[in-house]
Amino acid sequence: LETYAYHALGIAGNVTIRGKTVEQFLLEVIEKRGMKLWWNPFQKHLLNPASLEAICDTLGRIGTCQSAKVLKQIAKMGEGPHALKAREAMKKVEERTSGSAQE
């Protein structure tokens, strides 16, 4: 269910809810639950891989340069499906943000 919620957030766009954009909310989720830190083997409540992929996909649709930095970190986390999704999302963000900067 959590995975579908992250996909649904991307459909709404980067709207602001209670003072935070959807992008900010998703970046906080990744910060708190998304990436296993090698120096903290006792982390709990990590995102399942499908949810992490869904967040990457959503950030690819709505993210800004702020998302690109986090997506780059996720892309470096190995060669799993989450890393591939992060690379794809990073390309989308870069295309969108560089296109809007030229206009």
Side-chain angles (χ1 to χ4, degrees):
L1 187 58
E2 181 181 31
T3 302
Y4 296 112
Y6 295 133
H7 278 295
L9 288 171
I11 295 169
N14 198 17
V15 296
T16 301
I17 303 169
R18 296 185 182 184
K20 287 185 184 179
T21 63
V22 171
E23 178 187 29
Q24 290 170 328
F25 169 75
L26 293 174
L27 291 174
E28 284 180 13
V29 169
I30 289 175
E31 181 183 320
K32 292 177 184 173
R33 299 182 48 214
M35 295 183 270
K36 186 166 182 77
L37 305 173
W38 63 271
W39 64 84
N40 187 359
F42 304 107
Q43 284 176 280
K44 295 181 181 180
H45 309 295
L46 290 174
L47 288 169
N48 67 45
S51 291
L52 185 57
E53 290 173 40
I55 290 174
C56 289
D57 189 48
T58 297
L59 289 175
R61 283 192 239 137
I62 66 169
T64 63
C65 296
Q66 191 177 12
S67 292
K69 293 175 189 176
V70 174
L71 291 167
K72 191 174 193 176
Q73 290 176 336
I74 296 170
K76 291 180 181 179
M77 290 174 35
E79 292 301 318
H82 62 278
L84 179 61
K85 275 286 188 197
R87 283 190 213 97
E88 291 172 5
M90 209 168 45
K91 286 180 189 176
K92 290 178 185 178
V93 170
E94 289 171 353
E95 289 172 2
R96 191 177 52 257
T97 57
S98 68
S100 63
Q102 293 175 355
E103 292 176 5

